Amino acid sequence: MCNRYLGFLLLIWCPGELHAQSATQSCSAPSLDGGKFSLKRETYAHGTYVTYSCDLGRKPAVEGWWARSTCQNGTWSPQPRCIMERDCIPPTIPNAKNTESLTGWYEEGDKIRIICDEAYELKNNDATALCTNGSWSSVPVCERGADACDAPPKVPHAVIVDHGYQELFAADTHLQYECEDGYTAEGAGTDKTIVCIAGTWTEGPTCRTGGGDTTSAGSGTPPAGGGSSSSSGSNTGDTERRLTTIDICGDPPKIPKAVVARTLRRSVKYSCQQYYKRLGPESVRCYSDGTWSELPSCEASFCVVNTLEYPDLKPAGEIYLEDGDTVRLECVDRAEWWFNNYSDGECDNRIIHLSRCCSKAQLAFNTCDGFLTKRN
């Protein structure tokens, strides 16, 4: 396992991250203005990475006080770069796009303008942010539009055509249903189109046939105690279980900590909420007897750091980390310390490991031995 706490003067080669293929290209040694690498070689294999830090008064053009760049088929990604500490890296604003910089960062005093994605609108009509002393002031927020619609209603024996699945749609969005083969549209939505108006979809079609609602001949469940099944030579009255369309089974099963990510004609795909990982199949299907195939489950995959339980840490409430994530926490100041001290934490298989309080230099060079202890 490669060391997660990489120093700003370290260069690490991780054999496990290499993807040696004849088609890949190596990278020449990267250059860096205003920063430092160590142990530089002439060339680096595809998949290897280097770490670097920046000189006093500068910082990497990515989040964090040190950074790493990976050789990707002859090119370093992201390109190692040090910018002035008073400059800003691009902000992360959910459900929005912003004016881009040609250099990949913004100088102090630069202003950006935000454009919300479809179905979202600006909160408080504030569309700009200003780069001030290395951070953004008054970052805009894009929230759900007042007239937006949720995902369209499910119509048995029909699918939405010419549009991928999404959870939110802007006002005046037009969607079209298509009935399955053998079914025709009836009712108010005979043109098979629905429209998002003021947060609500207009009425859609109903898909029917003259032969009833079964998807195909013989695919339904016979009456209890009835005669022979469709399997050859059988007089037991048992029904052969066959996979069929999910409308036979009704609403998808509810799975704790999981959401339905996608609904298809013959399967339902689940995904787990943040901080949980899936166990079992990703998709479930419906049998002709009205039962579902094996269901997945969502298992906790996170750690919680309650800073109030550690007397050496400054109070910051509870901090959640997914398995494999790291965090740097500020320690309570002590008179004998010349510099601020920090504790580096790692969530490993739902167990949190917090280093003792050390300076950034000690943490960078992996000379910080020992772990924090909780209050008695």
Side-chain angles (χ1 to χ4, degrees):
M1 177 177 177
C2 297
N3 199 321
R4 295 183 183 276
Y5 308 114
L6 302 179
F8 57 87
L9 295 178
L10 296 180
L11 178 146
I12 304 298
W13 176 56
C14 298
E17 292 191 13
L18 296 180
H19 306 281
Q21 300 176 14
S22 59
T24 60
Q25 300 179 23
S26 59
C27 296
S28 58
S31 59
L32 182 64
D33 181 21
K36 299 179 180 67
F37 299 104
S38 68
L39 304 177
K40 294 177 62 175
R41 300 197 298 269
E42 293 295 327
T43 59
Y44 296 83
H46 169 79
T48 58
Y49 63 82
V50 295
T51 59
Y52 65 92
S53 70
C54 298
D55 296 339
L56 188 64
R58 291 176 175 262
K59 64 182 179 182
V62 294
E63 191 68 37
W65 64 271
W66 81 91
R68 82 177 187 180
S69 181
T70 304
C71 176
Q72 295 288 345
N73 201 22
T75 302
W76 289 103
S77 178
Q79 184 68 31
R81 182 175 289 117
C82 290
I83 61 178
M84 303 304 294
E85 283 190 337
R86 299 175 71 86
D87 295 339
C88 295
I89 62 174
T92 301
I93 304 177
N95 310 311
K97 301 178 183 65
N98 56 265
T99 50
E100 296 182 354
S101 167
L102 296 178
T103 61
W105 76 89
Y106 302 84
E107 295 181 351
E108 184 181 35
D110 283 352
K111 181 181 289 187
I112 58 173
R113 180 170 293 276
I114 304 303
I115 300 176
C116 292
D117 294 340
E118 232 182 29
Y120 293 86
E121 60 187 20
L122 283 167
K123 184 177 182 179
N124 301 326
N125 293 319
D126 184 6
T128 61
L130 181 67
C131 176
T132 304
N133 196 24
S135 61
W136 294 101
S137 64
S138 303
V139 176
V141 175
C142 291
E143 56 186 6
R144 175 186 173 131
D147 294 333
C149 290
D150 292 321
K154 176 184 174 182
V155 174
H157 309 295
V159 295
I160 298 290
V161 295
D162 298 328
H163 205 296
Y165 175 82
Q166 64 188 62
E167 295 181 348
L168 205 61
F169 291 81
D172 201 41
T173 296
H174 288 61
L175 296 178
Q176 186 175 12
Y177 289 91
E178 187 69 38
C179 293
E180 297 175 10
D181 291 342
Y183 291 78
T184 57
E186 297 179 1
T190 52
D191 64 348
K192 297 179 286 186
T193 299
I194 61 173
V195 184
C196 174
I197 300 177
T200 304
W201 292 103
T202 57
E203 186 176 354
T206 299
C207 294
R208 299 183 184 277
T209 69
D213 290 331
T214 56
T215 57
S216 60
S219 65
T221 303
S228 63
S229 71
S230 59
S231 57
S232 60
S234 173
N235 286 317
T236 63
D238 294 333
T239 301
E240 180 185 359
R241 295 178 78 218
R242 299 180 300 276
L243 292 171
T244 184
T245 54
I246 63 173
D247 56 290
I248 298 297
C249 288
D251 293 336
K254 294 186 182 300
I255 299 175
K257 304 301 180 181
V259 295
V260 174
R262 190 177 183 186
T263 302
L264 300 175
R265 179 187 175 193
R266 291 181 174 270
S267 65
V268 177
K269 181 178 179 181
Y270 288 88
S271 62
C272 292
Q273 297 176 6
Q274 187 180 17
Y275 303 118
Y276 290 81
K277 64 180 179 181
R278 176 178 50 81
L279 298 178
E282 184 179 36
S283 298
V284 299
R285 304 185 68 181
C286 176
Y287 289 109
S288 57
D289 61 359
T291 60
W292 292 96
S293 63
E294 179 189 357
L295 299 180
S297 61
C298 293
E299 180 184 70
S301 181
F302 64 91
C303 300
V304 181
V305 182
N306 185 351
T307 55
L308 298 178
E309 294 179 345
Y310 296 87
D312 293 323
L313 294 179
K314 287 189 175 180
E318 290 186 340
I319 298 173
Y320 287 77
L321 300 173
E322 291 186 283
D323 261 339
D325 281 355
T326 60
V327 66
R328 174 158 291 180
L329 303 171
E330 191 170 359
C331 294
V332 176
D333 292 332
R334 294 182 183 174
E336 64 269 24
W337 288 346
W338 288 68
F339 304 99
N340 290 339
N341 274 232
Y342 303 87
S343 170
D344 277 353
E346 177 187 5
C347 181
D348 181 17
N349 197 25
R350 299 178 60 185
I351 299 175
I352 188 69
H353 303 281
L354 295 173
S355 73
R356 69 179 179 87
C357 293
C358 294
S359 67
K360 288 184 177 179
Q362 290 174 300
L363 293 169
F365 287 105
N366 298 316
T367 59
C368 185
D369 298 325
F371 297 94
L372 288 186
T373 56
K374 292 185 177 182
R375 299 180 187 276
N376 293 329

